Amino acid sequence: MSASVLDHLTLGHRLLWNRRRDIAGVQLLVESLPAAQGLDARHLLAVLNELWPARAPQLLLSVRHPALLLDLLQHGRPDGPWLLLPPEALSDAVLRPRAQQAQARGLP
């Protein structure tokens, strides 16, 4: 069996509710394991696309691993999971321009 990107991550989730108390989205908290290196955003996005049902609520990713976050900003698609950036992203000299480029491509 081949290794999956999920083998190197710890995942948590939080349901996001709208005013009518319907589930509006799911925030997936993505933490890398200490020994994880070279995490592949394309692989993660492909796995999530395969596992996340089309009728499911919007998926929002909160990623702390800086390299994985940059990779997700580069490879994320408008029809894929949304990325939630930490507040310090606005002042980060590397992260901010990448986030702006991703947003210009339509990545929510």
Side-chain angles (χ1 to χ4, degrees), residues 35-108:
Q37 292 184 14
L39 295 172
D40 183 8
R42 285 187 216 173
H43 187 186
L44 176 59
L45 291 170
V47 168
L48 291 174
N49 186 50
E50 183 179 319
L51 296 175
W52 197 253
R55 295 182 134 178
Q58 182 61 51
L59 183 62
L60 298 93
L61 302 179
S62 293
V63 179
R64 285 198 181 164
H65 191 280
L68 180 58
L69 181 55
L70 287 172
D71 205 20
L72 284 166
L73 285 168
Q74 181 178 354
H75 297 292
R77 298 184 338 225
D79 61 342
W82 295 6
L83 290 179
L84 295 174
L85 299 179
E88 59 271 10
L90 293 176
S91 60
D92 187 290
V94 174
L95 192 55
R96 183 178 183 179
R98 299 271 177 91
Q100 290 171 332
Q101 291 169 353
Q103 188 177 28
R105 287 192 333 268
L107 182 65

